[in-house]
Amino acid sequence: MAQLLAIDWGTTNRRVYVLDANGAVLATDRDDRGMLAMEGRDYGAELDVLRGRYGDLPVLIAGMAGANRGWREAAYRSCPAGIAELAESICWMEPGRTGIVPGVSFDSGERADVMRGEEVQVLGAVQAGMAEPDALLCQPGTHCKWVEMAMGRIAAFTTAMTGELFALLRRDSILSGTIAGTVTDGEAFRHGVAQARRGDLLANLFGVRAGVLLGKRDAEESASYASGLLIGADVAARPLDRPVTILADPELGGLYATAIELCGGTGRIADSHTAFVAGITAIWRAL
Amino acid sequence: MAQLLAIDWGTTNRRVYVLDANGAVLATDRDDRGMLAMEGRDYGAELDVLRGRYGDLPVLIAGMAGANRGWREAAYRSCPAGIAELAESICWMEPGRTGIVPGVSFDSGERADVMRGEEVQVLGAVQAGMAEPDALLCQPGTHCKWVEMAMGRIAAFTTAMTGELFALLRRDSILSGTIAGTVTDGEAFRHGVAQARRGDLLANLFGVRAGVLLGKRDAEESASYASGLLIGADVAARPLDRPVTILADPELGGLYATAIELCGGTGRIADSHTAFVAGITAIWRAL
């Protein structure tokens, strides 16, 4: 029997899960009503629609709905943060009925970082036994998160602008024409990772174009090579002293797994939806 | 008496120098008829106009007019390349009367690089006594060039996408709003350089936004901090075992000089126009 509506409310997409008391998924739905599409719209009315569809259930929301540009800002909880800390800091829109899970912040003194939505996935991955309580987790994407767990809680994390930078370079830079092709996990990608490990990302990127001009590399291989340079620079900066659990689809996750292996580590891909459901269920139970 | 029309024909701008036999500048003019503005237009007719204005003189052209999207592709000359090598490889449109100076290519095996136009400036800087024959030269900008000279010739060089990346991030990324302000050579810039020296550019860039969200830094300081991250990453990757001659205006050159100093080197700014004139005059004399 349905007990909870859990919503992973991201920047561009939204995914709804209807969960029973054991955290089993009775129904799920994904649409493009992310935070950006919701600007100027009524979150409460959206929840009425969802409750009309799935039943008059309690709702737990994670992600960008809790950002300053979302429904209501749910203040960041600082590291270390686990299931108990997040449950304690829920931002209640209606007590016990509609709540927003806070994001998590990190401050090493030298560098500050924030996440919103990813915290439920990484905590859930440990809950579901997909990652060790002291794991290193990787969530590739526009802004790739690397999360160090300690005793099942988020101890520290780093966000890298890897995906966004690749998209910017592809769309609107001197490399645009050169890196227009498809990225595949082949030799060109691996060469990019190897070159990235030597450091000097700013120069390596210009070398993508120069390599084509001088006939060292075909233009069709350049997207994969450039992706290798960026993902390689991202991975090479991480401590790979323990296995990495990669929460991603097989394609992007596979590129990261390859780069991690080339940098001397080991990575295994795990399903981010399963991780989210385990995390939100654990938070719900801890309330 | 005028002896030579020398043209620094760049991507977006063009600068004409009327030189006498000693390389003294009798007149100079700058306009926006760079390579991009010339697409589909007649370079020969443009030279007729210039000769009508300044006299029926020989013309030496350096820069993007010799690129594959320019007037005619002047094949790259590979390193090591000095005045004699460039003079030997002039691409003559009309022998002895209208010539294009070739660009220079570099290939370390691992990384390829190209330049077009900058070679005349760096060789000229040595000719004019503005840099030692074994100097390291820096030409900041959209694509920052670092040139290692050996016995007055270009021995090796590296191009970093520093300026272009800053422009991309400012215009069209998640950092756009955050780094909209003015860049100044103050504490925030220096903090950026210090952070850049720790490596991990991809994560440091996301930290610009997180730092503002968490109240660690004012939004007004963020442009300077981000500039420090990028220029710092660029400078920290270079061998600063000898003084750096920076060919740039005092503003951008000053930021690089500060970053070089913070990374343990020394930099002095020199005038790029003087360097260009000395270089093109030396090539002309070597013909």
Side-chain angles (χ1 to χ4, degrees):
Chain A
M1 204 180 77
Q3 294 284 328
L4 176 68
L5 287 181
I7 309 179
D8 191 355
W9 213 315
T11 303
T12 47
N13 294 304
R14 176 181 72 170
R15 191 180 281 269
V16 181
Y17 302 87
V18 185
L19 304 177
D20 75 8
N22 298 314
V25 180
L26 305 177
T28 181
D29 192 27
R30 181 175 176 275
D31 60 35
D32 57 5
R33 298 214 167 166
M35 180 195 70
L36 294 177
M38 285 296 294
E39 272 177 2
R41 299 177 67 164
D42 184 345
Y43 280 80
E46 279 293 313
L47 292 191
D48 289 343
V49 170
L50 292 172
R51 282 185 169 117
R53 191 179 304 159
Y54 297 113
D56 189 33
L57 299 167
V59 173
L60 265 190
I61 299 169
M64 296 303 286
N68 52 10
R69 292 171 61 190
W71 190 7
R72 182 177 300 174
E73 185 164 8
Y76 294 107
R77 179 87 196 203
S78 61
C79 290
I83 295 290
E85 287 79 9
L86 294 188
E88 193 179 283
S89 302
I90 294 284
C91 170
W92 288 109
M93 304 303 293
E94 195 179 341
R97 183 167 157 80
T98 306
I100 304 176
V101 179
V104 178
S105 64
F106 173 69
D107 188 350
S108 71
E110 295 159 359
R111 199 181 52 76
D113 217 325
V114 291
M115 63 165 64
R116 228 179 242 295
E118 295 92 348
E119 66 288 336
V120 177
Q121 286 185 18
V122 295
L123 292 167
V126 174
Q127 293 287 323
M130 299 155 74
E132 297 298 312
D134 296 300
L136 176 63
L137 290 109
C138 172
Q139 294 160 294
T142 305
H143 300 147
C144 179
K145 303 280 179 193
W146 293 84
V147 186
E148 292 176 54
M149 308 296 287
M151 295 183 289
R153 297 196 300 173
I154 298 170
F157 64 93
T158 301
T159 309
M161 285 184 64
T162 320
E164 180 167 11
L165 215 53
F166 185 72
L168 278 178
L169 289 168
R170 166 129 69 176
R171 194 172 61 219
D172 207 18
S173 80
I174 195 175
L175 301 182
S176 299
T178 314
I179 63 173
T182 313
V183 175
T184 57
D185 182 1
E187 207 170 338
F189 177 79
R190 287 156 197 252
H191 280 161
V193 174
Q195 180 61 22
R197 295 184 71 193
R198 300 189 177 98
D200 205 356
L201 177 62
L202 293 170
N204 287 339
L205 289 173
F206 189 81
V208 174
R209 175 173 154 78
V212 173
L213 282 176
L214 298 181
K216 283 174 74 80
R217 198 174 306 106
D218 289 344
E220 303 85 69
E221 300 174 318
S222 292
S224 300
Y225 179 71
S227 174
L229 288 177
L230 283 162
I231 293 178
D234 185 357
V235 169
R238 312 300 149 221
L240 300 175
D241 52 348
R242 41 193 155 163
V244 182
T245 300
I246 305 166
L247 294 168
D249 63 86
E251 199 171 333
L252 181 58
L255 293 174
Y256 268 82
T258 296
I260 288 167
E261 202 176 293
L262 289 170
C263 291
T266 58
R268 57 165 179 249
I269 300 172
D271 182 63
S272 58
H273 307 298
T274 308
F276 179 83
V277 168
I280 205 83
T281 303
I283 292 170
W284 177 246
R285 285 182 182 153
L287 289 174
Chain B
M1 205 178 76
Q3 295 284 328
L4 177 68
L5 288 181
I7 309 179
D8 191 355
W9 213 315
T11 304
T12 46
N13 293 305
R14 176 181 73 169
R15 190 179 283 268
V16 181
Y17 301 88
V18 185
L19 305 177
D20 73 7
N22 299 313
V25 179
L26 304 178
T28 183
D29 193 27
R30 180 175 177 274
D31 59 36
D32 57 5
R33 298 214 167 165
M35 180 196 70
L36 294 178
M38 285 296 294
E39 272 177 0
R41 299 178 68 163
D42 184 347
Y43 279 79
E46 279 293 313
L47 292 192
D48 290 343
V49 170
L50 292 173
R51 283 185 169 118
R53 192 179 305 157
Y54 297 114
D56 190 31
L57 298 168
V59 172
L60 264 190
I61 299 168
M64 296 303 285
N68 52 8
R69 291 172 63 190
W71 191 6
R72 182 176 300 172
E73 187 165 6
Y76 293 107
R77 178 88 198 202
S78 61
C79 290
I83 296 290
E85 287 79 9
L86 294 188
E88 193 179 282
S89 302
I90 295 285
C91 170
W92 288 109
M93 303 303 291
E94 194 178 343
R97 184 168 156 80
T98 305
I100 304 176
V101 179
V104 178
S105 65
F106 173 69
D107 188 350
S108 71
E110 294 159 357
R111 197 181 53 75
D113 216 325
V114 291
M115 63 165 66
R116 230 179 239 294
E118 296 92 348
E119 65 289 337
V120 176
Q121 285 184 18
V122 295
L123 292 168
V126 175
Q127 292 288 322
M130 297 154 76
E132 297 299 312
D134 296 300
L136 176 62
L137 289 111
C138 172
Q139 294 161 294
T142 304
H143 301 144
C144 180
K145 303 280 177 193
W146 293 84
V147 186
E148 292 177 54
M149 308 298 287
M151 295 185 290
R153 296 196 301 173
I154 299 169
F157 64 92
T158 302
T159 308
M161 286 185 63
T162 321
E164 180 167 11
L165 215 54
F166 185 72
L168 279 176
L169 290 168
R170 165 127 74 175
R171 194 172 62 218
D172 208 18
S173 80
I174 195 176
L175 302 182
S176 298
T178 313
I179 64 174
T182 313
V183 175
T184 56
D185 182 2
E187 208 169 338
F189 178 79
R190 287 155 198 254
H191 280 163
V193 174
Q195 181 60 22
R197 295 184 71 194
R198 300 189 177 99
D200 206 353
L201 177 62
L202 293 169
N204 287 338
L205 288 173
F206 189 81
V208 174
R209 177 172 152 80
V212 172
L213 282 175
L214 299 180
K216 283 174 74 78
R217 198 175 307 106
D218 289 344
E220 303 86 69
E221 300 173 317
S222 291
S224 300
Y225 179 71
S227 173
L229 288 178
L230 282 162
I231 293 179
D234 185 357
V235 168
R238 311 301 149 220
L240 300 175
D241 52 350
R242 41 192 155 162
V244 182
T245 300
I246 306 164
L247 294 168
D249 63 86
E251 200 170 330
L252 182 57
L255 293 173
Y256 268 82
T258 295
I260 288 168
E261 201 175 296
L262 290 170
C263 291
T266 58
R268 58 164 180 252
I269 301 172
D271 181 63
S272 58
H273 306 298
T274 307
F276 178 83
V277 168
I280 205 83
T281 303
I283 292 169
W284 177 246
R285 285 183 181 151
L287 289 175

